[in-house]
Amino acid sequence: VEGDLEKARARLSLLDADEPAAPVIELAERLVETGGSVEDTVRLARLARAFGASTSSLDPYLENRP
């Protein structure tokens, strides 16, 4: 679903209809906690931001990035 925010939103709403960004944030935070891929964390943080959501733990992955 890369590059298609509406398709991503539709698919994620199947996991959490009230807050489609919730699974994205959960996965990104899990990557941060376990030392996962920075690139994947950045992608997930950007997706969460595109949905209008973010957390303080993901903010550093959005700083100074286009």
Side-chain angles (χ1 to χ4, degrees), residues 22-36 40-41 44-45 54-59 61:
V24 175
I25 290 172
E26 289 174 22
L27 180 56
E29 289 180 338
R30 192 173 320 138
L31 285 174
V32 170
E33 291 169 4
T34 61
D40 289 343
T41 304
L44 290 168
S54 187
T55 65
S56 59
S57 63
L58 297 182
D59 287 345
Y61 295 89

Side-chain angles (χ1 to χ4, degrees), residues 2-66:
E2 190 169 326
D4 191 332
L5 186 58
E6 289 309 311
K7 279 187 182 178
R9 184 183 313 272
R11 289 184 179 180
L12 288 167
S13 71
L14 297 173
L15 299 174
D16 189 335
D18 293 330
E19 186 54 56
V24 175
I25 290 172
E26 289 174 22
L27 180 56
E29 289 180 338
R30 192 173 320 138
L31 285 174
V32 170
E33 291 169 4
T34 61
S37 165
V38 172
E39 289 179 4
D40 289 343
T41 304
V42 168
R43 288 184 185 112
L44 290 168
R46 286 179 176 170
L47 181 57
R49 181 176 60 185
F51 288 143
S54 187
T55 65
S56 59
S57 63
L58 297 182
D59 287 345
Y61 295 89
L62 296 170
E63 293 175 3
N64 301 319
R65 302 195 190 266

